[in-house]
Amino acid sequence: MTIPVDKLTDPAVRAFVAAVNANDEEAFRAALAPGATMSDDGSDRDLDEWTEKEIFSSRGHMEIESVKEDGHVLVARFRNDTWGEMRTRWRFVVEGGKILRFETGQA
C-alpha cells in the first residue's frame, strides 16, 4: 500500500515529492532552501548534477511506503528510466519551511 503525496505531513517534504513525481524542476527548486545539500548512499553529491541525472532527465518517481519522524523520513519505491525501481530511504532536514538537506540511499 502506498501513501498519497497529499497525505505527507510536512509541507516541504510534500512539495519535494510532488515536484519529483510531476517532473517539475521549477517546483523542485522552490522546495529547496538556498544552498541545499544532499547525499546518496552516504556520499555527498552535487545536488544539481545528481537531480538532473537521477530525477529529471530519467523521469524519477517516488511511491511512498512509510513515513516516520514527523514526516522527515520516508521509505519509497523510487524508479527512473536509468535504474528501474528500487526501495529507497529518504531523510529530510527542513528549515524555514524548505528542504535544507536530503539524504537518500537503498532501504
Side-chain angles (χ1 to χ4, degrees):
M1 185 176 131
T2 60
I3 299 166
V5 175
D6 64 357
K7 300 293 185 207
L8 296 176
T9 55
D10 186 282
V13 173
R14 186 170 55 242
F16 178 100
V17 176
V20 167
N21 289 354
N23 203 17
D24 185 337
E25 203 162 349
E26 190 174 317
F28 180 83
R29 300 276 171 235
L32 300 176
T37 61
M38 59 95 41
S39 70
D40 182 7
D41 284 329
S43 298
D44 277 11
R45 305 294 172 111
D46 179 282
L47 188 142
D48 292 332
E49 285 178 17
W50 188 90
T51 55
E52 175 56 32
K53 181 181 175 196
E54 301 296 338
I55 296 173
F56 297 108
S57 67
S58 61
R59 298 185 329 179
H61 193 272
M62 299 170 73
E63 294 287 335
I64 310 304
E65 291 183 349
S66 69
V67 181
K68 294 182 180 164
E69 296 183 30
D70 295 324
H72 295 150
V73 175
L74 308 178
V75 173
R77 290 190 315 273
F78 180 80
R79 68 176 179 272
N80 67 24
D81 291 346
T82 304
W83 305 108
E85 184 173 288
M86 65 191 83
R87 203 157 175 263
T88 54
R89 178 182 177 92
W90 300 74
R91 178 180 298 276
F92 297 91
V93 176
V94 178
E95 191 173 279
K98 302 282 186 179
I99 305 290
L100 184 62
R101 179 173 176 81
F102 68 93
E103 300 170 353
T104 186
Q106 293 200 40

